[in-house]
Amino acid sequence: MKKTVLTLIVALSTAGFIGLYVYDPGSSAPAAAPPNIFEVIEVPPSAQAARTVDGSAETDKYGTVQVQLVVSENRISEVRLLRQPEPGRGAEAVKALQQATLTAQSAAIDTVSGATMTSESYLKSLQAALDAR
């Protein structure tokens, strides 16, 4: 115990003497302030670029649906289709689903009656894109 206390006293004394040895009171030049590495730079919303996020390709018996979102200022500004189902009810339903997505700004939208499988494929792809953003 005494050795530990003695070692601690010697270490602190040595550190104090090193500090005095390095200190130069005759220096008139002020020390430069260290750079602030935690400076936050905010980008105005108008300068934020729109980015695209792709959803997964989801296939059902009527075709494959893959959604691409254009996200601008943390909002879905456009819903594109990279892949879409065969012409018919599913293709028509996708248009309604795209509009519903823009309105809801989420995947919390209803399926389209008569195009349930295509709607479910669309929703899976949409959710994958939302999770990726």
Side-chain angles (χ1 to χ4, degrees), residues 65-83:
V65 177
Q66 186 175 15
V67 172
Q68 181 183 66
L69 300 179
V70 178
V71 180
S72 178
E73 299 178 14
N74 278 341
R75 293 189 50 82
I76 301 169
S77 58
E78 187 178 349
V79 181
R80 299 176 183 158
L81 289 176
L82 298 178
R83 293 181 174 176

Side-chain angles (χ1 to χ4, degrees), residues 23-110:
Y23 176 69
D24 182 12
S27 174
S28 62
N36 185 358
I37 60 173
F38 297 106
E39 185 176 342
V40 176
I41 299 173
E42 291 189 35
V43 178
S46 61
Q48 292 178 353
R51 58 189 172 88
T52 59
V53 184
D54 296 348
S56 57
E58 300 294 331
T59 304
D60 59 43
K61 71 179 188 178
Y62 298 105
T64 302
V65 177
Q66 186 175 15
V67 172
Q68 181 183 66
L69 300 179
V70 178
V71 180
S72 178
E73 299 178 14
N74 278 341
R75 293 189 50 82
I76 301 169
S77 58
E78 187 178 349
V79 181
R80 299 176 183 158
L81 289 176
L82 298 178
R83 293 181 174 176
Q84 57 187 358
E86 299 297 320
R89 283 188 186 169
E92 293 300 316
V94 169
K95 292 176 186 174
L97 293 167
Q98 286 174 295
Q99 187 58 46
T101 301
L102 291 172
T103 302
Q105 291 291 305
S106 72
I109 58 176
D110 293 329

